[in-house]
Amino acid sequence: MKRVVTVLMEHFKRWGVDHIFGVPGKAVVPLVLEAGNQGIDYVLARHEAGAGYEAGGYAWRRGLGVAAGTSGPGGTNMITAAGQAKVFHQPVFFLTGHPSMKETGKPLGQDSTFFGTDLVQMFQSVTLFSARVERGEVLKSYLAHAVEKAVTGRRGPVHLAIPYDVLTEPIEPFELPFPEREPGTVSSRLDRVFPLLSGAQRPLLFLGKGVHLSGAYEEVRALAEGWGLPVATTPGGKGTFPTVHPLSLGSYGLGGGPEAEEYIRNGVDLLIVIGTSLSDMSLPALKPAEYPRHVIQFDVEPAFVGKSLPAPTLFIQGCAKTNLQALLKEMRAFAGTGVALAAAAIDSPAEHAGLQPAAGEAALAESGQEKAPDADAPALTARETMGILGEVLPEEATVIGDDGSHSYHAVRHLAVKRAGSFLFDDVFASMGHAIGYSIGAQLASPKERFVCLTGDGCLFMNGSELSTAVNSGANVIFVVLNNGRLDMVNKGMRAHVGRTDGTVFEIPLNVKGYAEAMGCRAFRCGTGDELRRALTAALALEETVVIEAMVDPEELPPTLARG
């Protein structure tokens, strides 16, 4: 016989989990102690939301992350992180406690059943599976259901609430294998793709974050190059295709650039959509006259297919990587039938978009979304910051963008040299989540170099996790754009309602001082040269580094296209 908590921790260890993130509390003390017994590092987060984000970043690199919080507020604090993981499709195991199953129904502190704060019910809408293990004998079936939901199919977070007395209950030990993620079946509709491709005169390959999730980087590149397809990415799809590639038109949607916008404005007869549900963040200003004539949409599930664009849509269901691999196998045979493939890659994205070489900058200025440089403005701008990051960061570095203007400046201006080197969520968009994701990813893959791109507003929300990074040895480089305000909301309110109430910090955050108080090495930069020197120094250090970039508070973000 073994205790429930022992069997549980043995499974996590066997499944490759070496770190669990959380904040201890009485209801989960057995879990914390048993993690140590099994050689699992219990990473003390500074807040349960931070623990959930850190588990999300860990899951992104390891395939499974675990966050543990005590009953009551420990669990409720993790709910936002669960919502972020669900939209990001990250397989995170959320574990919460409860004082005592046997005492349920009596007045209990931090009660997590329906007599108090029902965590099982609260987690249901932000996870793929949420259940309470009310006796030890059901652990095996509940654990099997939870891990299958987490790591197979569409993937995402799950939640188990295990009361204190159940954690310590003796049970017959068992062993569950880690579910293998099947590649999935190949769509029977793939043969209908080639006629649409061969007949298209102005096609566009439109990539979302599903390419990140499936790891289909090589497949989309081969498809684009094989058919000479121009490529645009959604904000969340930034990083799925190198922006330096001749076929890249950059990003479209919120924060998108002029090349993709101009190309779409001039007409698209076939839109090949891979890994995006085409949310309002991806199509914020698309006019009816700009709708494509036909759509081919690759996605795991049909929930939003055909809902955003009133155009005939060929739905290719299943894993994008699997279906693209099958499609690419047929390309050579199809070409051999005498039907010519599309034209070869063009010389520049601006040329393919129908722009003259310098037209991109002019389009930005005319759109009113980008402010022309001002001699009297502060020396450093967000746009310049992105240019310097692209210049100084090595190709192997991976940038994780937080939610705010800073990341939309990156969506438009940051050069991506390697597919998979930029990660950003534009849908759930919880501010500060990238701070935790960067820490979790760094601990999951310590030989990689991770850079967190965040802002002062995000740091106000989850900046205490800098201390977690220092104490756990997560040597992330945090680049914090500081303009003393919630910039995206500030500029949006100014443009649309003429007021900016509640968006400016009366006393701005001293990021360098704050970071140093958390134990970080910190730099403050007000010029491009200072930023270059700070980044170069940070790359040479093996410690947690925070770089504060003091940017122009009046610079307009590239997000004003959404109403």
Side-chain angles (χ1 to χ4, degrees):
M1 301 290 280
K2 291 184 178 181
R3 296 185 306 162
V4 163
V5 69
T6 302
V7 174
L8 183 64
M9 289 298 108
E10 286 178 344
H11 276 83
F12 287 137
K13 183 67 175 180
R14 194 179 304 119
W15 292 341
V17 175
D18 295 322
H19 297 76
I20 289 178
F21 303 87
V23 179
K26 179 181 178 181
V28 292
V29 164
L31 188 154
V32 176
L33 297 177
E34 189 60 32
N37 294 340
Q38 299 296 330
I40 298 174
D41 187 2
Y42 186 87
V43 179
L44 172 59
R46 302 313 185 249
H47 190 275
E48 288 89 355
Y53 295 141
E54 286 146 17
Y58 194 90
W60 174 47
R61 276 301 189 252
R62 283 289 186 94
L64 183 67
V66 181
T70 193
S71 55
T76 59
N77 283 345
M78 292 195 296
I79 287 175
T80 302
Q84 181 66 66
K86 186 178 182 182
V87 172
F88 234 164
H89 306 290
Q90 298 303 333
V92 179
F93 231 108
F94 288 92
L95 298 172
T96 62
H98 172 61
S100 169
M101 197 67 237
K102 295 182 179 65
E103 300 295 315
T104 298
K106 298 179 180 180
L108 299 173
Q110 298 186 336
D111 191 335
S112 294
T113 69
F114 58 84
F115 289 102
T117 301
D118 193 341
L119 290 180
V120 170
Q121 185 177 22
M122 294 178 75
F123 269 95
Q124 281 175 352
S125 62
V126 290
T127 60
L128 304 181
F129 180 81
S130 179
R132 182 177 295 106
V133 181
E134 298 187 347
R135 58 188 189 280
E137 64 191 39
V138 301
L139 176 68
K140 182 177 181 179
S141 60
Y142 279 28
L143 184 60
H145 281 297
V147 73
E148 286 166 7
K149 285 285 188 181
V151 304
T152 63
R154 199 164 180 83
R155 293 186 299 176
V158 295
H159 167 243
L160 287 180
I162 311 179
Y164 185 100
D165 51 350
V166 177
L167 281 172
T168 57
E169 184 180 326
I171 59 171
E172 287 290 339
F174 57 86
E175 186 173 325
L176 296 173
F178 191 70
E180 292 187 14
R181 195 174 186 214
E182 297 294 333
T185 57
V186 174
S187 173
S188 61
R189 299 176 177 179
L190 285 180
D191 60 342
R192 295 162 60 183
V193 172
F194 290 111
L196 289 171
L197 276 173
S198 61
Q201 299 300 308
R202 284 185 59 81
L204 178 65
L205 188 57
F206 196 39
L207 307 178
K209 68 182 176 187
V211 177
H212 282 306
L213 298 171
S214 64
Y217 304 123
E218 290 303 317
E219 288 77 11
V220 296
R221 182 168 183 153
L223 180 64
E225 292 176 346
W227 288 83
L229 300 171
V231 179
T233 61
T234 68
K238 172 84 173 185
T240 57
F241 194 81
T243 60
V244 296
H245 193 285
L247 285 166
S248 175
L249 298 174
S251 295
Y252 183 79
L254 199 64
E259 288 86 0
E261 291 173 2
E262 186 69 12
Y263 185 89
I264 289 176
R265 191 176 299 118
N266 289 335
V268 171
D269 55 2
L270 179 64
L271 187 68
I272 306 105
V273 176
I274 302 178
T276 170
S277 58
L278 300 175
S279 74
D280 62 333
M281 311 298 275
S282 303
L283 305 173
L286 192 69
K287 301 176 178 61
E290 298 167 351
Y291 291 161
R293 295 179 192 170
H294 292 89
V295 176
I296 301 174
Q297 190 160 353
F298 291 75
D299 209 337
V300 173
E301 62 182 28
F304 295 110
V305 175
K307 304 294 196 301
S308 299
L309 293 174
T313 300
L314 172 61
F315 175 39
I316 305 297
Q317 185 169 13
C319 172
K321 189 178 182 75
T322 300
N323 276 305
L324 287 174
Q325 286 175 342
L327 187 67
L328 291 167
K329 283 183 181 179
E330 299 296 325
M331 279 178 62
R332 186 171 299 171
F334 184 76
T337 65
V339 180
L341 296 180
I346 49 168
D347 292 333
S348 72
E351 179 183 334
H352 206 160
L355 299 174
Q356 295 302 312
E361 298 302 316
L364 282 174
E366 290 173 6
S367 71
Q369 295 178 34
E370 192 78 35
K371 209 177 138 182
D374 184 344
D376 297 324
L380 190 59
T381 65
R383 180 175 180 177
E384 183 185 5
T385 299
M386 298 310 131
I388 294 170
L389 286 173
E391 169 194 329
V392 177
L393 291 179
E395 185 174 323
E396 60 270 18
T398 299
V399 177
I400 303 178
D402 221 324
D403 282 284
S405 290
H406 44 273
S407 286
Y408 284 101
H409 281 290
V411 165
R412 177 167 291 187
H413 299 300
L414 181 65
V416 173
K417 305 164 191 171
R418 173 180 60 85
S421 62
F422 184 85
L423 187 73
F424 170 58
D425 170 52
D426 59 329
V427 179
F428 192 72
S430 55
M431 290 176 61
H433 82 271
I435 298 170
Y437 269 67
S438 301
I439 296 168
Q442 190 70 74
L443 292 175
S445 188
K447 293 184 179 179
E448 290 189 72
R449 170 66 79 178
F450 291 96
V451 178
C452 176
L453 178 63
T454 189
D456 52 331
C458 293
L459 207 65
F460 266 128
M461 291 193 180
N462 285 283
S464 59
E465 295 308 316
L466 295 178
S467 175
T468 304
V470 172
N471 283 270
S472 62
N475 298 329
V476 178
I477 298 174
F478 295 91
V479 179
V480 185
L481 274 63
N482 190 354
N483 58 11
R485 64 205 63 226
L486 296 172
D487 189 69
M488 194 168 160
V489 182
N490 176 270
K491 301 305 189 300
M493 288 178 65
R494 179 189 298 178
H496 298 295
V497 300
R499 294 171 59 176
T500 59
D501 304 33
T503 62
V504 177
F505 302 123
E506 294 292 333
I507 301 175
L509 179 62
N510 180 341
V511 172
K512 182 175 183 292
Y514 181 81
E516 289 174 339
M518 296 290 170
C520 303
R521 178 75 66 92
F523 302 87
R524 174 177 289 163
C525 307
T527 68
D529 287 341
E530 289 174 350
L531 180 58
R532 285 185 183 88
R533 288 195 295 269
L535 282 168
T536 301
L539 289 166
L541 294 169
E542 293 188 5
E543 57 185 290
T544 307
V545 179
V546 175
I547 299 174
E548 178 181 19
M550 304 300 296
V551 296
D552 181 2
E554 294 304 317
E555 181 182 12
L556 293 179
T559 53
L560 298 181
R562 186 176 65 160

